[in-house]
Amino acid sequence: MVARLELKLKCREALSYQMASLFHGVLMELLPEEYADELHYSQLHPYTQHLECREDVWYWVVCALNEQAVKTILKDALWDVKQIVLKKKQILIEICGKQYEEMPYKQFMEHFYHEEHGRYLQIQFVSPTAFKQRGNYVFFPDLHCLFQSLMNKYDAAAGDHIMLDEETLEQLCANAQIVRYDLKSVSFSLEGVRIPSFIGKITIRMNGTKTMAGFANMLIEFGTFSGVGIKTSLGMGYIRQIKERG
């Protein structure tokens, strides 16, 4: 199961997506110490979180990628929270609304096998996104990095569904082409380091079989919960799928 909890924020001080790492600190303090330690040492985290502004209102969006994370993070730790404090900046934030959505893993598979999928995939990179390859930052939407990241995250979260296969990955990349983009280069500050990254939109055209297009659609749908690329637990890499063709 994956799930998403959106918390609507009310605050007198100005917020920014760069503060997501401070919200991560708040989250760790709300969790049981043993579970927080387990997450700290985990290579692939079973959750993502980021900040986003929609129509001048800020939201803290936290996603959980397995049943334990759904229960411990979303339902036990965050569900009844009324306010939080960013101690480093002494900012008090009220929670004035929430919206919750969950989806079992079998539903991703059902969408893959039983739905008709278009040839065009539109992705909005909502929070700063970057990849890391051979020790270097990749701050543009490289399709190999994109699909590889999503397949890795799916395997880490789902556990018993092994998706990352080099041949499948190469076929995805060979049949995918970016045909439109509207991107902006940005940086994401984290512990004194400015990570080069990007935000914006791309449109991918899928060639090849309908199965390949469906598989790509399923990965992107999962990515709206898992995020993509690096530092997704600290506020980077959140994506949204735009269904209609632009």
Side-chain angles (χ1 to χ4, degrees):
M1 178 195 296
V2 296
R4 173 170 37 241
L5 179 63
E6 294 191 357
L7 299 175
K8 187 177 181 180
L9 309 179
K10 183 179 180 181
C11 180
R12 292 183 178 180
E13 288 80 4
L15 299 176
S16 75
Y17 64 75
Q18 301 281 4
M19 292 182 177
S21 60
L22 300 179
F23 279 76
H24 179 264
V26 170
L27 177 59
M28 291 300 104
E29 291 184 357
L30 290 171
L31 295 175
E33 184 176 351
E34 183 178 343
Y35 187 63
D37 288 342
E38 179 183 331
L39 294 179
H40 179 72
Y41 292 106
S42 171
Q43 290 293 317
L44 292 167
H45 302 299
Y47 68 99
T48 68
Q49 62 87 29
H50 76 285
L51 293 171
E52 71 175 274
C53 186
R54 301 196 294 267
E55 298 179 351
D56 296 324
V57 177
W58 281 94
Y59 296 84
W60 184 23
V61 184
V62 185
C63 298
L65 307 180
N66 61 36
E67 290 189 12
Q68 182 183 12
V70 171
K71 180 183 184 303
T72 307
I73 297 176
L74 302 188
K75 295 184 177 179
D76 293 347
L78 292 175
W79 195 263
D80 294 320
V81 171
K82 304 300 182 186
Q83 63 181 31
I84 60 176
V85 177
L86 303 182
K87 294 180 180 178
K88 190 173 182 179
K89 294 183 176 292
Q90 289 300 302
I91 296 176
L92 175 66
I93 301 170
E94 295 181 28
I95 309 299
C96 57
K98 65 185 176 185
Q99 184 172 337
Y100 178 77
E101 176 189 4
E102 66 179 38
M103 183 184 297
Y105 273 98
K106 66 178 182 180
Q107 193 166 332
F108 290 110
M109 291 298 176
E110 288 173 357
H111 289 178
F112 172 43
Y113 286 113
H114 302 301
E115 288 190 4
E116 285 293 323
H117 300 284
R119 292 286 183 175
Y120 290 87
L121 292 168
Q122 290 191 85
I123 305 170
Q124 180 182 5
F125 298 92
V126 177
S127 65
T129 303
F131 307 95
K132 208 161 190 182
Q133 192 173 53
R134 294 188 286 275
N136 297 315
Y137 290 116
V138 177
F139 51 102
F140 56 89
D142 178 271
L143 291 179
H144 186 277
C145 292
L146 175 75
F147 288 128
Q148 183 180 52
S149 174
L150 291 172
M151 293 168 81
N152 271 323
K153 290 177 185 296
Y154 189 97
D155 285 349
D160 56 345
H161 298 87
I162 304 303
M163 184 176 290
L164 183 58
D165 172 82
E166 287 300 325
E167 184 177 347
T168 303
L169 176 58
E170 293 307 319
Q171 288 181 5
L172 268 175
C173 295
N175 286 285
Q177 179 185 9
I178 296 176
V179 295
R180 185 177 302 172
Y181 63 86
D182 181 10
L183 299 169
K184 179 182 178 182
S185 177
V186 295
S187 61
F188 188 83
S189 298
L190 187 62
E191 297 177 353
V193 177
R194 295 173 69 86
I195 300 174
S197 50
F198 64 91
I199 57 174
K201 301 176 183 178
I202 63 172
T203 301
I204 301 172
R205 174 176 168 79
M206 295 301 302
N207 302 308
T209 65
K210 289 185 178 180
T211 300
M212 191 62 63
F215 185 57
N217 269 277
M218 186 189 74
L219 283 175
I220 300 303
E221 184 177 23
F222 172 72
T224 63
F225 291 91
S226 72
V228 64
I230 62 173
K231 310 295 185 185
T232 52
S233 64
L234 295 173
M236 296 185 70
Y238 186 76
I239 65 172
R240 183 174 290 118
Q241 185 173 12
I242 306 170
K243 292 293 186 179
E244 69 275 9
R245 181 177 174 181

